[in-house]
Amino acid sequence: MYLHIGNGKIVFSRDLIGIFNIAHKGKSKQSKFCNESIEVTDLCLRKERPKSFIVSDHGIFISPIASQTLSKRLE
């Protein structure tokens, strides 16, 4: 199954490790994980606010789509 995560980017659901709310990013170990990641791709356009980040086998993606919306798309 495919999951559209924003700005035309699609990932395989089998490659997903986790979908996280960006609001919690600065308050835990997730921030350190994102800062040390090899590849972080920002999918937000200029005026879009980042709402979630997706961890997959192919890197981390910052998305303008809410984590709750992405989770519902997987169902």
Side-chain angles (χ1 to χ4, degrees), residues 52-67:
S52 65
F53 66 98
I54 298 95
V55 180
S56 79
D57 290 342
H58 305 289
I60 295 177
F61 302 95
I62 299 173
S63 176
I65 302 171
S67 58

Side-chain angles (χ1 to χ4, degrees), residues 11-55:
V11 295
F12 286 107
S13 59
R14 68 175 181 254
D15 294 339
L16 288 175
I17 296 170
I19 300 172
F20 304 94
N21 186 350
I22 202 99
H24 299 294
K25 180 182 167 227
K27 298 180 182 179
S28 68
K29 294 180 183 180
Q30 296 168 357
S31 178
K32 184 178 177 182
F33 177 74
C34 285
N35 290 334
E36 294 177 359
S37 176
I38 295 171
E39 183 178 343
V40 176
T41 305
D42 190 353
L43 300 175
C44 299
L45 299 176
R46 290 182 191 176
K47 295 184 180 184
E48 291 178 322
R49 205 178 96 209
K51 296 180 182 173
S52 65
F53 66 98
I54 298 95
V55 180

